[in-house]
Amino acid sequence: MPAIAIIGAQWGDEGKGKIVDLLAEKVNMVVRFSGGSNAGHTVVNPCGEFRMHLIPSGIFHREVTCIIGNGVVIDPAVLLEEIEELKGHDVAVDRLFVSDRAHLIMPYHLLLDGLEEEARGSGALGTTRRGIGPAYMDKAGRLGIRTGDLLEKGAFLERLRLVLDQKNRILTRVYEAQPLVLEEVYEKYCHYGELLAPFIRETDLMVQEALERKEKVLLEGAQGTLLDVDFGTYPYVTSTSTMAGGACSGLGLSPMKLDGIIGVFKVYTTRVGSGPMPTELLDETGELIREHAHERGATTGRPRRCGWFDAVVGRFSARTNGFSSIALTRLDILGVLPSLKICTAYRLEGKTLINPPSSVAMLARCEPLYEELPGWQTDISPIRRFKDLPREARNYVKRLEELLDCPASIISVGERREQTIMVSEPL
Ligand code: IMO
Ligand code: MG
């Protein structure tokens, strides 16, 4: 059986962490394949409340092997801190492994992420400043340093000398910043290398072998489809392939091995950072959702922009990823609203669009066309069966399934594991 991918279907923060933590009980392996510590996956379970940035959300299950694949960029300081935090909560990390091919976030990536954002002025992307863009630039530019490089100290020093020379010229001449000192960076990263050595493996082989043994592998996506570097709202995106396709290159997994793709949708829309969001609510309804749902970035603490469900980008996301089913999260939140809107199309210069335009300038001019559905105005968080939901809530879910042309397998009605309605068996 199968490799199943859990993919963010909107602008990130859809609740992937909860879904992975929940499903991990039934699998042998959970793997991350893209992004880095820009991700912030909130998990609330009997071990405590956690914001996972790099370590797969399957780590709370003792028997599950967790892998950080080659497609992830790793900030060693964040990873080591996360390991310590888990240990502090008696969560074992002896089944955690990191790909020897994963690229490292280096100190200059962190500096450049901030400096580039400031240089963009009013055109800033609103990045998480975790060094993500600069690290993937170096990966593609063949200037990257990988975890495996830390295990070959002599070669690492020579490589770092070459790369740092170039980075220091950019830091000092373009940004008039202080240069970094080779020996300091080298010593620090050699130390990280020693601490991380027990975790570093050829994880591509581990995933392939697990599938050969007919084990179940859950792929934990990071960010969301609208943040994908190709299909997202470019340039207001992250630097990776966040979609199902990215899972294969980010792990060393054949596309033939992917058996299912679950798209995770929040039942309304949120976004952190800049860029168009046609259904954004700048009024008291948006504020009500934000406050009631505590919509703040798990990584940066920034308030999230909130709005109605956008079925135009939703359908685009479902089709481009080829979701086999969807997981709908935070349905309980909508219980505070008397009536609900769903955007089913956009209006742009007299035309009706059912697909999002690729240009952000055009997307920013799109006016959402809504249909309105009655709310249920009750607390549904104790409900565990679909048929026990109020009729209005069932109708809302059915309408989303219809618009996205995809069945819901999971409905989340609260942050804890048990606050879940399993509509069908997704694995
Ligand atoms: P999870 O995995 C929401 C956003 C940033 C910014 C843009 C680029 O928790 O869903 P980056 O630092 O990646 O260069 O920033 O992408 N972003 C996210 N938004 N959830 C995330 O991750 C995000 N990761 C990046 O806010 O708009
Ligand atoms: Mg998040």
Side-chain angles (χ1 to χ4, degrees), residues 179-244:
L180 290 161
V181 179
L182 174 69
E183 291 70 26
E184 283 176 19
V185 179
Y186 175 70
E187 291 297 327
K188 195 171 183 181
Y189 274 69
C190 282
H191 181 58
Y192 289 149
E194 283 157 21
L195 296 172
L196 290 178
F199 300 97
I200 298 175
R201 293 291 160 90
E202 293 175 297
T203 56
D204 41 329
L205 296 181
M206 294 176 72
V207 177
Q208 291 156 12
E209 285 165 7
L211 289 171
E212 279 159 21
R213 289 192 299 269
K214 310 273 182 237
E215 293 183 4
K216 293 183 189 177
V217 179
L218 202 58
L219 282 51
E220 177 175 354
Q223 289 76 53
T225 300
L226 278 310
L227 292 172
D228 182 89
V229 69
D230 283 280
F231 289 99
T233 45
Y234 193 89
Y236 300 98
V237 293
T238 189
S239 301
T240 44
S241 297
T242 61
M243 298 167 62

Side-chain angles (χ1 to χ4, degrees), residues 107-335:
Y108 40 84
H109 295 139
L110 294 166
L111 289 173
L112 288 168
D113 199 356
L115 291 165
E116 285 168 8
E117 272 291 84
E118 267 139 47
R120 285 182 199 115
S122 62
L125 306 178
T127 76
T128 58
R129 302 195 177 211
R130 296 299 188 105
I132 305 299
Y136 281 110
M137 277 166 69
D138 278 357
K139 176 175 176 174
R142 290 152 301 179
L143 275 178
I145 295 177
R146 311 198 291 185
T147 55
D149 295 334
L150 299 179
L151 308 179
E152 294 280 339
K153 287 190 180 172
F156 170 49
L157 179 61
E158 287 324 302
R159 176 106 182 124
L160 185 63
R161 192 190 307 280
L162 179 110
V163 177
L164 197 59
D165 184 51
Q166 200 203 82
K167 298 297 170 190
N168 274 340
R169 274 184 283 150
I170 296 173
L171 285 171
T172 56
R173 295 188 197 175
V174 177
Y175 294 108
E176 295 172 356
Q178 290 298 312
L180 290 161
V181 179
L182 174 69
E183 291 70 26
E184 283 176 19
V185 179
Y186 175 70
E187 291 297 327
K188 195 171 183 181
Y189 274 69
C190 282
H191 181 58
Y192 289 149
E194 283 157 21
L195 296 172
L196 290 178
F199 300 97
I200 298 175
R201 293 291 160 90
E202 293 175 297
T203 56
D204 41 329
L205 296 181
M206 294 176 72
V207 177
Q208 291 156 12
E209 285 165 7
L211 289 171
E212 279 159 21
R213 289 192 299 269
K214 310 273 182 237
E215 293 183 4
K216 293 183 189 177
V217 179
L218 202 58
L219 282 51
E220 177 175 354
Q223 289 76 53
T225 300
L226 278 310
L227 292 172
D228 182 89
V229 69
D230 283 280
F231 289 99
T233 45
Y234 193 89
Y236 300 98
V237 293
T238 189
S239 301
T240 44
S241 297
T242 61
M243 298 167 62
C248 297
S249 53
L251 284 175
L253 179 74
S254 161
M256 301 283 286
K257 300 277 192 220
L258 212 52
D259 303 274
I261 307 169
I262 304 176
V264 187
F265 285 92
K266 213 179 252 182
V267 293
Y268 48 92
T269 307
T270 63
R271 177 166 202 177
V272 263
S274 321
M277 173 179 158
T279 62
E280 181 168 13
L281 287 166
L282 297 165
D283 58 7
E284 60 276 17
T285 305
E287 191 56 35
L288 179 66
I289 297 175
R290 182 162 40 250
E291 287 316 309
H292 183 58
H294 310 290
E295 288 289 0
R296 286 189 198 279
T299 299
T300 56
R302 291 177 291 178
R304 293 181 184 139
R305 300 156 64 191
C306 297
W308 296 119
F309 190 88
D310 185 339
V312 178
V313 294
R315 202 161 39 223
F316 170 79
S317 175
R319 194 185 305 140
T320 314
N321 282 289
F323 294 143
S324 40
S325 74
I326 54 177
L328 298 174
T329 63
R330 312 216 77 176
L331 190 64
D332 53 307
I333 297 299
L334 296 183

